[in-house]
Amino acid sequence: MDFALPDNRVLGWAEYGDPAGVPVVYLHGTPGSRLSRPDDAALVGVRLMTVDRPGYGRSTPVRRPTLLGVADAVGALMASLGIERFGVVGFSGGAPYAVACGARFPQRLTGVVAAGFTGPYRELRTVRGWQRLQAWTVCNIPGLGRPYVTRAAAWYAEDPLKQHRELLASGQDTWMQPSEESNLEGARQGAAGLVSDWLATDIRPWGFHLRDVPCRVLIWAGRHDPGRAVADAPLIATQMPDAEVRISENAAHTPSPAHWRGMLTWVKGG
């Protein structure tokens, strides 16, 4: 479905689960699309809304993508549906956007789940040495950030399933399931969505601090996640007013259906 945003951009979105259930917005990983969602078995009692971020699927790209801009789009969609209170769940690259919703309109949220969340490296100071110098260069030299991420994201336009096939073949992510349809839909406009994600999360300042998220937040990570999610989780939690950490011992990056059920029950307030 398409929703016309106040600035005349299009927001692609979809709905799953129980129409009479508790409303929850799900923000897909990077890359992905509105077709991404937790396992259907986890959606009992949940009315799940999913969205395409700018440049993915059916959503209009933006010149200057930001985390808070996506939060504003989510808030506008939910207001158009007459939904005042709802939960937000962000997975992997979608987690920073979920946290941004917590900064933008915390009073409207039953809770925020950030699953597989890599925190803001500027705030947590988790990037050091050569990586820190490289990050500073890309982020601070005018005109360098967009060309850099555009080159890095080119593979997604050429072969949207390349990364997905590699992850499946590695066998390291126990609960990862084939989701070719979502990845292909995410690349409907080439690599525009992936570029936007990297600009918003890695190149530009987030526009808020972790301490600016006063609502309840659950930070989930799988013990065997190969990235920084496990190490970042306690660092993030100490910066937030009302956050808790949940580390699942039998998972890597992707939650199982049972993990999703637990997170969705939590975000509903149950």
Side-chain angles (χ1 to χ4, degrees), residues 85-108:
R85 292 271 290 170
F86 54 97
V88 178
V89 176
F91 171 60
S92 191
Y97 296 94
V99 172
C101 291
R104 188 62 111 191
F105 40 77
Q107 71 284 353
R108 296 182 63 186

Side-chain angles (χ1 to χ4, degrees), residues 131-174:
Q131 285 185 319
R132 182 177 181 181
L133 176 60
Q134 184 182 43
W136 186 94
T137 301
V138 173
C139 295
N140 290 279
I141 295 180
L144 188 58
R146 182 177 286 274
Y148 177 84
V149 298
T150 298
R151 286 194 300 273
W155 65 268
Y156 189 49
E158 296 165 3
D159 182 3
L161 300 181
K162 177 177 182 292
Q163 183 188 67
H164 186 70
R165 286 195 305 270
E166 291 171 353
L167 290 171
L168 280 175
S170 73
Q172 296 177 359
D173 201 344
T174 309

Side-chain angles (χ1 to χ4, degrees), residues 29-105:
T30 299
S33 73
R34 69 190 182 283
L35 303 183
S36 300
R37 63 188 186 277
D39 190 276
D40 288 341
L43 301 183
V44 176
V46 175
R47 179 186 179 188
L48 194 77
M49 272 68 66
T50 64
V51 301
D52 292 325
R53 291 194 292 276
Y56 286 117
R58 302 182 64 86
S59 288
T60 308
V62 293
R63 176 62 189 168
R64 189 170 180 81
T66 64
L67 301 183
L68 292 172
V70 170
D72 289 338
V74 167
L77 172 65
M78 299 305 276
S80 76
L81 297 173
I83 299 172
E84 275 301 313
R85 292 271 290 170
F86 54 97
V88 178
V89 176
F91 171 60
S92 191
Y97 296 94
V99 172
C101 291
R104 188 62 111 191
F105 40 77

Side-chain angles (χ1 to χ4, degrees), residues 114-128:
F117 182 26
T118 298
Y121 64 86
R122 292 180 181 89
E123 191 169 351
L124 300 180
R125 301 184 182 277
T126 49
V127 174
R128 298 180 178 87

